[in-house]
């Protein structure tokens, strides 16, 4: 995690309300600010402020609920496990783009190899995973959703590029989502082609994507990150 | 179609084997290079369309695009068939690791691992492996090969799947590559290439087929623009 994201996460988790909010979301799933307000007895504005901070810290995901009298964001936990990491070695922040590019190249390798192998179902399932990724990225109402419906793998690549190249304050949490996406892709491969074939596809794609990036991979333990949970 | 038979769809052949392969059996076909084994395998899967039986073809010695291209010559559009979800051509050469040329891409265990997963999605009822000669390279001894092949064939029989395994024969070296394949399979068909007066004649013989009253003669066959056609009424003396 880069310095800015780390500070943001710590800030979002500090105070008396973060923990009861997280526990409520863990129990109830999707909630809007008024649900949280009622559940833990705080003012709706306070609940809304905390939910927004937790979302910005990459701990929650959100979507628009079309409720009356007006639209509101509803939130849920991205994962019931929350980990906060800080790497104090120099250069981490500047290299987010490089790391993203590595993941992108790996993803392309996996998709390409699976297609050549002749497993169309894998590609189809990767496309639907892409929709999930899109939601996680928080722009499910943009044009890219339409493109997904047309089953265009290019969109996944564009999306992946977004994760790879965006050097904003949130790049580290984006990287986390992209890594999770890659892990889901590998799980799909395992389901469709078995342990051996998917392991080999990962091995071969990893080898190609690693060319010229050996130092980066070693330093940030990128290959290790891809190991099964 | 008889419930317990799976028609091969190869003109002239089904008549000789009571309508087709026994359902859920493991069948073996052997022949020298150029005898039409792969074509036989694809024709068998392609016939699955008529009976609404999905097919799965493992390519180990060629690559997908070559198979697709070759079959176009016989009027079989495999890509369209794949697009309908009726056929899956798996090119295992794509998962070949470096320095694997010598020992073969996969063994029976790896193939079983793949099938256990992919059969759930593809719901294939017809399977072709082209060829088990390539899988044999994975084993150091004939004993290991026999044991693994036996376990694999038992795994196939337990599935709702009628399989065809392809093996090559080398001229003057016996009917199959390793000399053991025919003993573990439920049926054994031999394709031959004979030189008669300077011309090659193609022949087909059903050497063995469990649960079947089959013809035992050597029949000539032709490779026409539509594929293999067996002359069931003619025999080679």
């Amino acid at each position: 995690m880069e310095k800015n994201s780390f500070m943001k996460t710590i800030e979002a988790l500090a105070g008396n309300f973060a923990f009861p909010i997280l526990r409520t979301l863990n129990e109830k799933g999707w909630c809007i600010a008024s649900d949280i307000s009622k559940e833990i007895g705080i003012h709706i504005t306070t609940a809304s402020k905390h939910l927004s901070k937790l979302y910005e810290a990459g701990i929650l995901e959100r979507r628009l609920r079309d409720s009356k009298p007006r639209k509101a964001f509803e939130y849920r936990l991205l994962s019931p496990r929350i980990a906060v990491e800080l790497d104090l070695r120099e250069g981490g922040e500047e290299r987010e783009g490089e790391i993203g590019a590595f993941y992108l190249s790996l993803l392309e390798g996996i998709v390409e190899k699976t297609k050549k192998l002749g497993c169309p179902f894998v590609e189809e399932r990767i496309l639907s995973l892409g929709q999930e990724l899109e939601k996680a990225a928080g722009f499910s109402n943009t044009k890219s959703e339409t493109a997904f419906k047309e089953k265009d793998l290019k969109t996944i690549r564009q999306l992946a590029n977004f994760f790879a190249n965006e050097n904003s304050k949130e790049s580290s949490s984006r990287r986390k989502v992209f890594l999770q996406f890659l892990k889901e892709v590998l799980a799909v491969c395992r389901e469709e082609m078995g342990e051996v074939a998917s392991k080999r596809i990962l091995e071969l794609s990893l080898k190609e994507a690693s060319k010229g990036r050996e130092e980066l991979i070693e330093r940030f333990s990128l290959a290790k990150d891809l190991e099964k949970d | 179609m008889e419930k317990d038979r799976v028609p091969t769809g190869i003109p002239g052949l089904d008549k000789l084997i009571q309508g087709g392969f026994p359902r859920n059996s493991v069948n073996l076909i052997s022949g020298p290079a150029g005898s039409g084994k792969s074509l036989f395998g694809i024709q068998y899967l392609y016939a699955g369309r008529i009976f609404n039986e999905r097919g799965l073809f493992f390519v180990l010695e060629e690559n997908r695009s070559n198979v697709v291209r070759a079959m176009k010559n016989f009027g079989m559009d495999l890509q369209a068939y794949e697009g309908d979800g009726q056929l899956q051509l798996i090119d295992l050469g794509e998962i070949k690791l470096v320095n694997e040329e010598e020992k073969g891409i996969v063994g029976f265990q790896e193939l079983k691992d793949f099938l256990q997963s992919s059969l759930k999605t593809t719901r294939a009822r017809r399977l072709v492996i082209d060829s088990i000669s390539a899988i044999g390279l994975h084993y150091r001894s004939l004993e290991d090969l026999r044991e693994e092949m036996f376990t694999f064939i038992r795994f196939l029989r337990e599935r709702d799947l009628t399989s065809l395994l392809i093996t090559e024969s080398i001229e003057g070296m016996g009917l199959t590559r390793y000399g053991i394949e025919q003993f573990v399979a439920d049926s054994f068909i031999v394709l031959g290439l004979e030189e008669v007066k300077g011309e090659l004649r193609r022949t087909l013989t059903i050497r063995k087929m469990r649960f079947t009253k089959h013809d035992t003669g050597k029949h000539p066959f032709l490779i026409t623009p539509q594929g293999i056609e067996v002359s069931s009424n003619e025999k080679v003396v």
Side-chain angles (χ1 to χ4, degrees):
Chain A
M1 190 176 276
E2 58 172 311
K3 195 177 71 194
N4 285 335
S5 299
F6 179 78
M7 299 294 283
K8 207 172 223 181
T9 310
I10 295 298
E11 204 185 313
L13 290 171
N16 296 330
F17 301 132
F19 186 67
I21 291 174
L22 294 174
R23 204 170 47 188
T24 307
L25 290 169
N26 191 38
E27 280 165 15
K28 298 195 175 299
W30 290 107
C31 286
I32 57 173
S34 66
D35 299 333
I36 298 290
S37 152
K38 278 177 217 157
E39 191 67 29
I40 60 176
I42 54 174
H43 194 273
I44 190 166
T45 319
T46 315
S48 177
K49 197 176 78 187
H50 278 283
L51 285 167
S52 178
K53 273 188 177 178
L54 288 165
Y55 166 73
E56 278 171 25
I59 294 165
L60 306 183
E61 59 178 328
R62 76 179 182 192
R63 65 184 184 192
L64 212 53
R65 189 198 280 183
D66 204 1
S67 56
K68 283 178 182 172
R70 58 191 178 89
K71 288 179 181 175
F73 278 120
E74 55 181 353
Y75 298 83
R76 76 169 173 190
L77 285 174
L78 254 180
S79 159
R81 283 178 59 207
I82 298 166
V84 184
E85 279 175 17
L86 177 65
D87 188 347
L88 289 170
R89 288 172 293 185
E90 277 176 36
E93 291 165 41
E94 293 76 33
R95 303 192 74 177
E96 285 296 330
E98 276 182 72
I99 293 169
F102 160 71
Y103 283 151
L104 173 60
S105 161
L106 184 59
L107 174 68
E108 286 189 323
I110 293 169
V111 171
E112 193 59 33
K113 287 205 169 12
T114 313
K115 274 173 81 174
K116 277 191 175 170
L117 184 80
C119 285
F121 300 108
V122 176
E123 196 184 335
E124 277 174 31
R125 289 187 58 191
I126 290 176
L127 279 166
S128 65
L129 270 179
Q131 288 175 324
E132 295 294 321
L133 175 68
E134 197 179 30
K135 279 182 203 162
F139 46 85
S140 53
N141 290 325
T142 65
K143 278 179 191 169
S144 56
E145 193 176 40
T146 326
F148 267 128
K149 279 177 190 156
E150 288 161 12
K151 293 204 162 188
D152 184 359
L153 248 187
K154 266 189 207 160
T155 316
I156 281 197
R157 299 212 170 102
Q158 280 165 6
L159 197 60
N161 252 322
F162 167 78
F163 281 89
N165 298 326
E166 186 76 11
N167 263 320
S168 77
K169 285 180 274 180
E170 286 180 67
S171 58
S172 146
S173 61
R174 285 203 175 98
R175 187 177 113 196
K176 216 156 63 180
V177 178
F178 196 12
L179 177 64
Q180 191 54 40
F181 175 66
L182 263 171
K183 283 187 175 181
E184 299 274 344
V185 166
L186 292 171
V188 165
C189 291
R190 277 198 295 276
E191 267 178 46
E192 299 279 346
M193 304 182 292
E195 194 75 42
V196 178
S198 52
K199 212 170 155 185
R200 287 200 188 188
I201 283 183
L202 174 63
E203 196 175 326
L204 290 163
S205 311
L206 200 54
K207 204 172 168 195
E208 279 172 24
S210 302
K211 274 180 198 158
R213 298 187 174 109
E214 292 79 3
E215 178 269 332
L216 182 83
I217 289 157
E218 173 68 27
R219 182 167 172 194
F220 294 96
S221 314
L222 298 181
K224 214 178 159 200
D225 278 353
L226 286 161
E227 283 170 12
K228 250 197 303 179
D229 282 329
Chain B
M1 177 174 63
E2 292 276 336
K3 258 188 179 174
D4 59 343
R5 310 304 295 189
V6 179
T8 64
I10 291 169
L13 176 61
D14 291 330
K15 206 193 274 195
L16 304 174
I17 52 173
Q18 286 189 267
F21 291 136
R23 186 162 294 285
N24 299 349
S25 59
V26 179
N27 306 278
L28 179 75
I29 186 165
S30 102
S35 58
K37 303 181 294 294
S38 301
L39 176 59
F40 186 108
I42 291 285
Q43 262 182 271
Y44 164 60
L45 293 187
Y46 209 70
R49 281 180 321 157
I50 305 162
F51 308 102
N52 203 21
E53 292 183 336
R54 293 179 178 199
L56 192 54
F57 190 95
F58 282 96
V59 191
L60 281 124
E61 293 186 60
E62 270 280 355
N63 61 45
R64 271 171 55 82
S65 51
N66 279 357
V67 175
V68 170
R69 196 172 150 197
M71 295 307 145
K72 256 192 186 150
N73 291 331
F74 299 104
M76 290 185 271
D77 187 349
L78 299 187
Q79 274 173 322
Y81 196 15
E82 271 193 297
D84 295 343
Q86 294 293 308
L87 173 73
Q88 209 176 341
L89 277 176
I90 305 290
D91 183 354
L92 288 174
E94 284 302 321
I95 56 168
K96 182 167 67 189
L97 302 175
V98 186
N99 304 328
E100 255 187 350
E101 301 284 345
E102 297 298 314
K103 67 172 187 123
I105 305 163
V106 291
F108 288 111
Q109 276 294 343
E110 289 81 359
L111 209 53
K112 186 177 154 188
D113 178 70
F114 195 108
L115 277 168
Q116 268 171 330
S117 298
S118 70
L119 283 176
K120 284 180 203 154
T121 325
T122 56
R123 286 177 281 132
R125 306 281 305 278
R126 294 178 178 223
L127 167 76
V128 175
I129 299 173
D130 188 7
S131 69
I132 54 168
S133 314
I135 300 172
L137 297 172
H138 200 72
Y139 299 96
R140 282 190 187 165
S141 74
L142 213 54
E143 239 166 61
D144 287 349
L145 171 63
R146 189 205 307 260
E147 203 170 300
E148 290 293 323
M149 195 189 298
F150 183 77
T151 312
F152 180 68
I153 285 179
R154 206 164 53 181
F155 160 80
L156 292 180
R157 275 197 205 108
E158 285 164 3
R159 259 84 209 147
D160 187 10
L161 192 66
T162 306
S163 315
L164 177 68
L165 312 180
I166 296 174
T167 187
E168 64 174 348
S169 60
I170 299 164
E171 275 174 74
M173 303 274 286
L175 292 172
T176 54
R177 171 74 184 262
Y178 300 104
I180 54 172
E181 300 95 309
Q182 60 269 47
F183 302 109
V184 277
D186 296 313
S187 87
F188 182 35
I189 295 175
V190 176
L191 300 185
L193 270 179
E194 297 168 5
E195 201 176 319
V196 181
K197 291 177 189 165
E199 282 198 23
L200 282 178
R201 179 169 61 190
R202 299 176 188 278
T203 62
L204 177 147
T205 314
I206 303 138
R207 308 264 313 191
K208 147 183 169 181
M209 194 167 286
R210 283 182 188 147
F211 325 112
T212 310
K213 279 181 194 159
H214 64 86
D215 182 282
T216 50
K218 190 191 267 188
H219 294 268
F221 76 86
L222 295 173
I223 295 186
T224 73
Q226 287 76 44
I228 292 175
E229 281 179 24
V230 180
S231 306
S232 53
N233 297 326
E234 277 181 65
K235 283 187 186 179
V236 176
V237 187

